[in-house]
Amino acid sequence: TLEEIEKACDSLNLHSSTVSRLKYASRMAAKVDNVVLQDGFKLYHHSFVLSEDGKWAVIQQGLNENARYARRYHWLSTKLSSFVEEPHNAIVSDIKKKFVLDMTAKESEEARNVCVDIAQEGSKRVKRLVAEVSREKEQATLNKWLGKERPAVLFMPRRINWRVMDDIYDIKPRNYEELVSIRGVGANIVRALALISEVIYEKPVSISDPVKYTYAHGGKDGVPYPVDRKTYDKSISILRQIVEEARIGNKEKLRALARLKRFSQAKVF
C-alpha cells in the first residue's frame, strides 16, 4: 500500500520528493495494467520493491476469471523511460490472447496524442464523436478494418463517466500520461477515446497482445503443458554455474547453491 511505501521510505530516510515519486510509480503501474492495457486480466496482487537509492520494481498479477489464467506484469525503474509507452520489463503469461487493447504500444503513439486532443475539447464534443462512432456505418467500417471477428475490447462502452470528462477538460492534461493519471479515468474512457481516434481520425491502436515471455518449463500441474525435465535441469545447471562464478561471499554462495539443489530435487511431475 502507499502507507507501507511511506513507512519503508521513512526507515531509509528518503527525501519527501523521492517518496512522492515512488508512490506515483506504484499508482501508475497499477493503473496502466488495469486501464491502459486492456487484456482481460484484472489485477488482484501488487508488490512494490524499493532500494535505499530510490530505485524500484513492481511485480503485479492479474486474473482472467473466465479463462482461469493468471498473468504477471514486471516493471523496473532502471529500464523505464515512459509509464505509457512500452513500460514493462516483462509480461509473463501461459497464454497469448488474439486481441487486446494496448495503448502502451509504440504503434498506438499517434492514437494516444489524438486522445489527449479529443479529451481537451470537452464532454459535449466527445459525446458527439461517441455517437458518430456508434453509428452503423462506422461500426461496419471498423469491422472491415479488423476482419469478421471483432474483439470485445474495441466495442464502444455503454457507460462513460461524463463528470470525469468534464474534469479532464478543466485540468487540460498536456500528454497521455497526465490524462490517464487523472482520478476517475478508467477503462471505459480510455477505450472510448481510443475508438474515436481509430474510427474518426484514422489513428490506429494496437490490438496485439504484448506478452514478452511465457513459461519455458511447463507447470507442475501439467498446465499449460507438463514440465520438460531436460530443459528444467539445464536451466538449473546454468544458474549453478552463474552462482559459482559470482563475486559474492562464500556464505551467500553456499545459500544460493543450497536453494538450487532443492529445486533440482523437487518433484515437478
Side-chain angles (χ1 to χ4, degrees), residues 78-265:
T78 55
K79 302 288 186 179
L80 185 74
S81 58
S82 168
F83 279 98
V84 293
E85 183 173 300
E86 310 286 352
H88 300 95
N89 194 51
I91 300 178
V92 183
S93 179
D94 288 336
I95 58 174
K96 186 178 181 70
K97 299 192 70 176
K98 189 172 183 179
F99 294 119
V100 304
L101 174 60
D102 182 14
M103 292 302 290
T104 71
K106 177 67 175 177
E107 294 82 358
S108 298
E109 181 178 8
E110 289 187 339
R112 289 195 299 269
N113 294 335
V114 170
C115 288
V116 177
D117 294 339
I118 296 167
Q120 290 179 343
E121 295 182 7
S123 58
K124 289 184 179 180
R125 170 65 172 162
V126 176
K127 284 180 181 178
R128 288 197 295 270
L129 293 173
V130 166
E132 188 173 347
V133 172
S134 299
R135 290 173 187 166
E136 185 174 348
K137 180 180 178 181
E138 301 296 347
Q139 299 284 12
T141 302
L142 185 58
N143 281 330
K144 182 179 179 181
W145 287 344
L146 298 176
K148 293 182 179 179
E149 185 178 0
R150 185 175 171 205
V153 291
L154 288 183
F155 278 100
M156 181 62 72
R158 293 183 178 180
R159 295 182 179 179
I160 297 172
N161 192 326
W162 297 111
R163 180 185 57 78
V164 174
M165 289 301 306
D166 289 335
D167 291 341
I168 295 172
Y169 177 74
D170 293 335
I171 294 171
K172 295 288 192 298
R174 295 168 296 177
N175 52 53
Y176 196 75
E177 181 178 330
E178 289 187 5
L179 170 64
V180 298
S181 70
I182 294 172
R183 184 180 295 275
V185 173
N188 283 358
I189 287 178
V190 166
R191 190 159 79 251
L193 294 175
L195 276 170
I196 292 170
S197 171
E198 172 108 14
V199 175
I200 306 298
Y201 294 94
E202 299 185 2
K203 300 300 181 183
V205 300
S206 174
I207 57 173
S208 299
D209 193 338
V211 167
K212 298 180 180 179
Y213 180 83
T214 55
Y215 294 109
H217 304 111
K220 62 182 180 181
D221 55 357
V223 178
Y225 48 82
V227 172
D228 178 352
R229 185 74 207 205
K230 183 177 180 180
T231 303
Y232 182 87
D233 290 339
K234 183 177 180 180
S235 297
I236 291 177
S237 177
I238 292 172
L239 290 171
R240 183 182 295 112
Q241 182 179 353
I242 292 172
V243 171
E244 289 174 346
E245 295 177 1
R247 296 179 180 179
I248 57 177
N250 287 332
K251 190 174 182 180
E252 290 81 2
K253 186 174 294 188
L254 288 172
R255 286 178 178 174
L257 290 172
R259 287 196 296 271
L260 282 174
K261 185 177 181 180
R262 288 197 296 272
F263 276 117
S264 66
Q265 295 174 342

Side-chain angles (χ1 to χ4, degrees), residues 17-56:
S17 61
T18 301
V19 178
S20 297
R21 177 173 57 82
L22 293 173
K23 290 168 65 177
Y24 177 80
S26 175
R27 287 196 302 267
M28 283 300 292
K31 191 159 196 180
V32 166
D33 286 341
N34 255 341
V35 173
V36 185
L37 171 58
Q38 299 185 25
D39 56 4
F41 290 79
K42 185 177 181 180
L43 293 186
Y44 68 92
H45 180 75
H46 173 90
S47 296
F48 190 86
V49 183
L50 59 94
S51 66
E52 59 185 6
D53 58 353
K55 295 184 178 68
W56 57 268

